[in-house]
Amino acid sequence: MNKEAINKLMRPKSVAVVGASSQPGKIGYTVLENLIKGGYKGKIYPINPAATEILSLPVFASVSALPEPADLAIITVPVKFANQVAEECGQKGIKALSVITSGYSEVGRNDLEKELIDIAHKYGMCVLGPNIVGSLSNSDDLNASFGPFLPFKGSATLITQSGALLIAMDAITYTRKVGFDKMISIGNMADVDFADLIEWLEDDKYTSCTCLYVEGIKDGRKFIDACRNAKKPIIALKAGTSVHGAAAAASHTGSLAGSAKVYTAAFQQAGVVQASDLNNLFDRTLALSLMPPLKGTNLLLVTNGGGVGVLATDAAEKFGIPLKFAPPDVQEELKKHMPAFGSAKNPVDMTGMAGNDWYYETVKFAYAHPWTDGLVVLYCETAMTSPVEIAQAVKKAMDDSGMKGKPIMVSMVGGTRCDKAMQWLVENGIPAYGPPDQAMNAMAALSELNRIQSMLDKTEVVSDPACAAKAAEIIAVARGDGRTALTEVEAKQIFSAYGLPIAQTWLAKCEDEAVEMAKSIGFPVVMKIISPDIVHKSDAKGVKVNIKDEAGVRESYKTILANAKVYKADANIHGIAVQEMAPSGTEVIVGSVNDATFGPTVMFGLGGIFVEVLKDVTFRVAPVNKSQIEQMLTEIRGAPMLKGVRGELPRDRAALVDVLYRYAIMISDLAGEVSETDANPILVYAEGKGVKVVDARIILKKKA
Ligand code: ADP
Ligand code: MG
């Protein structure tokens, strides 16, 4: 990150607008007008060779005519002039460019974009964009964009790949009362990207939470690094999760949109909370920007209406923060501020008789009590109470409690009076929501933040030279034959070098050898065709299991060879594998792909229909730590299978976790050579009995 330059980009003392126009409606006019209207305190230099004064400001004919190198140059000229302007800016000594101009990689002109960045880097300049709306900052009174106004004040900062969405979200900040300090459009991210800004915002005292709208990230590893090193909460809305949406996103910003599941994995590992849609992004951003994480599971609800209490309770469970009853002493105290027919359990129902005082006393006590990890205050509009007064009572109770460091939020169900009260709450630092499920979802974000921060994955790639050397040796043989497919036998040798527990496997070149091997392994055995030309052995009728004796070995040897010939007459056959017959267990699949964005990625799922039909799989970017792997095992829908079903004992999770851990090390170590791998199936046994890898596949990258 070019920090000096980004300082100038984000916090300029002077701004040049190249392409400033005197014609209202033109972007070059709007940007200039916005700088003025936004109350920018620094110097503004409009640049236009054909004008002398615009909006009462003196105009300069060119960048070189400026009295000083402006901190920031906003480029709004058509694309055919923009790179030339960048060159002039560089010569002038300007260090930061905000390139609003479009017509670059988003329309396939990658050449022009590269040229722009080459020019910028030649002069040590950073580039925001191109193809952006610009950037806005309340704390700098800086509207350096063609978005109409600075956002509703607050401490979140938005970084978005969609400029149009920035303008729309800017307007929504006022209707939703979600406060932002900055909104930054990064467009094509040709230079300054999410990671650079996330890193820069760490030192920005006006930002408490970073909010991302993501279509596609270019350098996945850089993104993960920046996020996992950030101390401020980050929330992301990932767009383009559908097949068609991903294609639309790719053509929108010209970046590669990797698999949605891989993004989710990377966000988890990097400590990024996710939002499910635009509304949810606002809800969660509000909570994350105003409140600390929810550090425990004791969530208390206080309400004046049973109905909203029940709805909130349902939502809490749905979003993974189920309620518990408060302990008896807490209930005793809570009973003091409710009628006899109220309920002090959880939700705490003060009934419709609750007024300002009961809200005040109950919130003050409940918020301060050590049992409470988080508090949600619900309110149903009533004729006898004033929502704003209730809001004020909640705020006063919170302040008077002397408690800090735990989250509190409010849900108010009602009309315009509630809207006003909620606005008052937000302006006074308390997140407020209409429907209770929205509040509970936001509280769940604070709980997710706590969870993902506690299992933040800082695993580094550690290559074991001995394993890598063994793998290199085997890969070299295949490369020597001009192959990209390793055989099961070769793949298993590599797996085994990385400490994966494989079923004992030997390669027989003739029938007699097969018999010898079977005898020394011990019956029953499994026999399989081994040929780089037959990747799916069962398809070629090339697998025989449960072979019980010598006669069976001889018979199977002949049949498998004959079947292989039928399947593919010219297949190059290395021999027949003879293996120990692993006892049956729960079948799981572990595999890997090289994701275009995030690199080597490990996949886990259950075998059979779970993976084939239901696509019930989950991913992590490799390498990955064990707490993340534990999480993977719970993420798939088939997770209960690992607990043991129909009287089975629980499966050996620890052994499975270890396999995934080693597997991820292996694939990150071999990422340069290997394109995809799988271990399908791995048999998982009862606790303490381990796992067995019975099949192995490695496909190498094609070499140019
Ligand atoms: P394919 O190339 O068709 O995937 P596999 O090696 O996976 O071939 O074998 C097919 C099936 O045979 C496996 O899914 C598994 O159920 C069974 N199998 C293979 N090897 C063994 C073994 N060593 N022990 C027990 N069962 C095995
Ligand atoms: Mg298989």
Side-chain angles (χ1 to χ4, degrees), residues 523-576:
F523 291 102
V525 294
V526 174
M527 291 172 70
K528 299 179 191 174
I529 187 75
I530 297 298
S531 159
D533 301 318
I534 302 175
V535 178
H536 300 287
K537 301 171 293 285
S538 303
D539 291 355
K541 297 198 177 70
V543 180
K544 297 264 177 224
V545 299
N546 205 17
I547 301 163
K548 294 202 172 72
D549 51 27
E550 180 177 335
V553 172
R554 293 192 182 278
E555 159 73 25
S556 300
Y557 196 98
K558 292 190 196 80
T559 323
I560 290 173
L561 269 188
N563 290 347
K565 287 265 151 54
V566 172
Y567 182 75
K568 198 161 193 288
D570 59 349
N572 170 18
I573 291 167
H574 287 190
I576 305 285

Side-chain angles (χ1 to χ4, degrees), residues 55 210 349 365 386 421 437 570 577 603 616 640:
L55 291 162
T210 308
D349 185 358
F365 167 76
S386 148
D437 50 309
D570 59 349
M603 179 205 87
D616 185 18

Side-chain angles (χ1 to χ4, degrees), residues 273 284 294 316 319-321 439-449:
V273 175
R284 294 188 144 207
L294 174 64
F319 299 129
I321 43 173
M440 299 317 287
N441 185 299
M443 187 56 96
L446 298 178
S447 169
E448 280 168 38
L449 178 69

Side-chain angles (χ1 to χ4, degrees), residues 3 68 86 190 239 249 259 261 326 342 344 400 418 420 435 457 465 486 518 591 602 663:
K3 193 165 182 188
E68 56 160 346
S259 141
K261 281 188 172 172
D400 292 354
C418 282
K420 289 213 179 72
D457 195 354
L486 300 196
V602 61
Y663 203 93

Side-chain angles (χ1 to χ4, degrees), residues 21 23 42 53 74 79 100 121 168 279 358 477 507 520 575 614 657 679 692:
S21 166
Q23 267 176 276
E53 193 188 280
I74 305 175
V79 67
I100 289 178
H121 289 173
N279 276 331
W358 286 1
V477 172
L507 183 64
S520 93
L614 301 173
V657 167
K692 220 31 144 201

Side-chain angles (χ1 to χ4, degrees), residues 205-232:
K205 64 175 186 224
Y206 304 102
T207 298
S208 66
C209 161
T210 308
C211 169
L212 313 177
Y213 168 80
V214 179
E215 290 186 357
I217 288 163
K218 286 179 181 164
D219 186 342
R221 297 283 164 156
K222 182 181 172 195
F223 175 81
I224 289 178
D225 273 346
C227 295
R228 66 187 183 181
N229 291 326
K231 296 195 179 53
K232 295 177 183 174

